[in-house]
Amino acid sequence: MTTIVSGTDTLTRDALAVLQPGFTGTSAPSWLLRRLGEGLASVGLFGRNIASPAQLASLTAQLRAERGDVLVAIDEEGGDVTRLEVRTGSSFPGNHALGAVDDVTLTEAVAHELGRRLAACGVNLNWAPSADINSNPDNPVIGVRSFGADTALVARHTAAYVRGLQSAHVAACTKHFPGHGDTAVDSHHALPRIDAELSVLQSRELAPFRAAIEAGTRAVMSAHILVPALDPAHPATLSRRVLTGLLREELGYDGLIVTDGMEMRAISATYGIERGSVLAIAAGADAICVGGGLADDATVLRLRDALVMAVRSGELAEERLADAAARVRDLASWTASAAAGPASAADELDPGIGLVAARRALTVTRGPHCAPLTGAPYVAALTPVANIAVGDETPWGVGAELRRRLPGTETGSFSGEGAGAEALAAAGPSRVVAVVRDVHRHGWMAEALDVLVTARPDTVVVEMGVPQAPPRGALHIATHGAARVCGLAAAEAITAL
């Protein structure tokens, strides 16, 4: 690749400073260290970069050896969306489980403990929490990542999460502004549209963001969604009306504005990442998140050059780029000073807080055929396709924990039409534990479950998504999320019958 910009002048350094790129591998590549020396101020981490806490701490130390105040960001929501524990499943329940408990003190404690683990590994910016209201139950991308469908509940838990995370010296990045919960499309694949009236947006979607701002959230992430009531022409990430007019001026937010991943097709397929990045900074964004899929030096140089040339051509005001870069550096300074401060009493929290929360989140309904297990069960996971934010590499369910507790437990996975319900219904004497996720969104899953519980009314049902359907089976356990710790709590409940 031939670049059109070179050197380390102020303009070029500012253009690098607003980028939050990713990379591949579990150690920093030479190109990334070189760009940090030239002005890059942030790095984004994903599951592919993490093998263990010790390895992650070594990686972040390697980055800080090149630039001491580097922002090291991660998408660690806990629950279904985990990067720290991508290969095992999270030790913390996600937002929906915390919302089901509805104890803001617990939410703050969980967020603090999660933040404490991030900080111990050298991570200082978390692209969390999700402040989206799950107002559309068929939303394909939010679901259990939301605290719930009630505006006031989501607002108070968003604020508690921000307080907890930042008390551990990790900056919160509240997302996805102005609210992604009422969509029917995943912005990883296409541009969603929300046709709610302005009055509804003001009273519903924006309330959790107001609460986060009042709680002092250090960053806010924009959503790649079109909201005609706010701007009929531009998605929120590229809208000056949304980022500057609404978020900055109306809501009074003065922290860092980060874009959602610019390689997501809602932006890349309609504007391209170079053009999209220029428009986002012009609209009021301060940091360009890129690297979930594009994770190389060529991408960084393309975006740097696009920003520099936009300034030189007059399309992007140099003052706007300089302001964005300054906000990035200001947050980097805050994280550096916060990490150097004294530890709080909350740092003595019980590291088992995640399991405590997962146990409290369970909703257990006993049917007329409820009876204790008399032997090892057969665990049937009815498995939907995971969305990109969650990923399909993270294990979920109760099979592993039941095998540990009840030797001889067998497991199977079923997906799509003809998911094997008839065969399960006619299976041998083992009790069946059916593990499902978002039954209301998958007709094949609902049909298979109906066949199974009708033929075998002693079936135990574990619902690990957003529970919508009425409870079914001899024992119905709603975990409100598919984190490993939620499966552990469900397995405890099953074996305690």
Side-chain angles (χ1 to χ4, degrees):
M1 174 180 177
T2 302
T3 62
I4 55 176
V5 179
S6 62
T8 55
D9 58 278
T10 299
L11 177 57
T12 304
R13 294 186 69 84
D14 285 349
L16 280 172
V18 303
L19 303 180
Q20 290 190 346
F23 62 96
T24 58
T26 54
S27 61
S30 58
W31 68 261
L32 183 64
L33 299 176
R34 184 165 61 253
R35 301 306 168 203
L36 287 171
E38 294 174 357
L40 186 69
S42 308
V43 175
L45 300 180
F46 299 86
R48 65 185 178 228
N49 304 122
I50 300 168
S52 69
Q55 169 270 324
L56 178 55
S58 176
L59 169 59
T60 58
Q62 184 185 16
L63 296 172
R64 289 201 168 83
E66 187 63 44
R67 178 172 183 141
D69 65 346
V70 63
L71 283 173
V72 181
I74 200 169
D75 192 6
E76 180 58 54
E77 298 176 15
D80 290 31
V81 180
T82 180
R83 311 306 178 212
L84 282 182
E85 300 178 279
V86 67
R87 293 168 183 81
T88 60
S90 182
S91 301
F92 300 91
N95 285 3
H96 205 264
L98 295 172
V101 178
D102 194 14
D103 179 345
V104 292
T105 301
L106 179 67
T107 294
E108 188 168 341
V110 168
H112 175 86
E113 179 60 27
L114 180 59
R116 193 169 69 87
R117 295 193 188 187
L118 290 172
C121 294
V123 176
N124 54 14
L125 171 60
N126 192 10
W127 294 319
S130 168
D132 308 296
I133 297 169
N134 200 42
S135 46
N136 179 357
D138 292 328
N139 189 313
V141 69
I142 301 301
V144 294
R145 301 168 67 196
S146 167
F147 288 110
D150 179 80
T151 297
L153 180 145
V154 174
R156 62 179 172 266
H157 284 277
T158 297
Y161 199 104
V162 168
R163 291 193 300 269
L165 191 62
Q166 294 188 167
S167 70
H169 315 312
V170 174
C173 183
T174 306
K175 61 187 183 186
H176 306 81
F177 187 82
H180 208 311
D182 195 19
T183 59
V185 173
D186 183 344
S187 51
H188 289 89
H189 302 300
L191 179 63
R193 176 185 174 110
I194 294 180
D195 285 311
E197 296 181 358
L198 182 59
S199 59
V200 173
L201 297 170
Q202 289 282 1
S203 63
R204 188 180 66 184
E205 268 72 21
L206 296 182
F209 291 97
R210 291 192 187 96
I213 292 168
E214 186 174 346
T217 186
R218 293 284 170 172
V220 169
M221 178 176 282
S222 66
H224 303 330
I225 56 174
L226 185 67
V227 188
L230 299 176
D231 187 333
H234 304 97
T237 294
L238 311 184
S239 171
R240 183 172 175 79
R241 292 187 192 181
V242 173
L243 299 188
T244 299
L246 177 58
L247 182 54
R248 288 277 187 230
E249 297 171 0
E250 184 176 331
L251 300 186
Y253 175 66
D254 195 40
L256 189 76
I257 299 177
V258 183
T259 72
D260 207 344
M262 296 299 285
E263 68 271 32
M264 294 164 63
R265 290 188 61 80
I267 298 297
S268 64
T270 50
Y271 296 88
I273 63 167
E274 295 97 330
R275 174 87 178 139
S277 296
V278 170
L279 293 175
I281 297 294
D286 306 306
I288 301 297
C289 176
V290 65
L294 300 171
D296 53 36
D297 194 26
T299 298
V300 172
L301 294 178
R302 283 165 54 200
L303 297 182
R304 180 201 67 178
D305 291 359
L307 292 166
V308 170
M309 295 307 295
V311 169
R312 290 179 177 172
S313 69
E315 182 182 9
L316 175 63
E318 185 170 2
E319 294 79 9
R320 171 78 273 272
L321 180 61
D323 173 65
R327 290 180 187 275
V328 173
R329 296 180 188 119
D330 286 347
L331 181 58
S333 296
W334 177 83
T335 58
S337 61
S344 68
D347 285 329
E348 302 304 319
L349 280 172
D350 178 358
I353 189 71
L355 181 56
V356 170
R359 288 168 174 159
R360 290 183 62 187
L362 294 183
T363 302
V364 180
T365 305
R366 291 171 172 81
H369 298 280
C370 185
L373 296 180
T374 57
Y378 182 87
V379 179
L382 304 183
T383 307
V385 176
N387 66 55
I388 292 177
V390 172
D392 58 9
E393 69 268 47
T394 302
W396 66 286
V398 299
E401 184 60 24
L402 284 177
R403 279 197 304 271
R404 189 182 72 80
R405 291 167 174 267
L406 300 170
T409 295
E410 297 182 64
T411 61
S413 181
F414 306 86
S415 183
E417 299 297 334
E422 292 82 0
L424 282 172
S430 294
R431 287 277 293 279
V432 175
V433 176
V435 187
V436 297
R437 197 171 181 177
D438 293 337
V439 176
H440 66 285
R441 291 188 51 240
H442 304 285
W444 66 266
M445 190 185 299
E447 182 179 348
L449 189 60
D450 283 341
V451 169
L452 181 58
V453 299
T454 299
R456 303 190 63 155
D458 63 348
T459 297
V460 175
V461 178
V462 181
E463 166 60 82
M464 305 197 80
V466 177
Q468 295 285 333
R472 283 176 275 188
L475 179 71
H476 184 277
I477 301 174
T479 62
H480 304 92
R484 176 178 56 83
V485 73
C486 296
L488 183 105
E492 287 181 344
I494 292 169
T495 54
L497 280 174

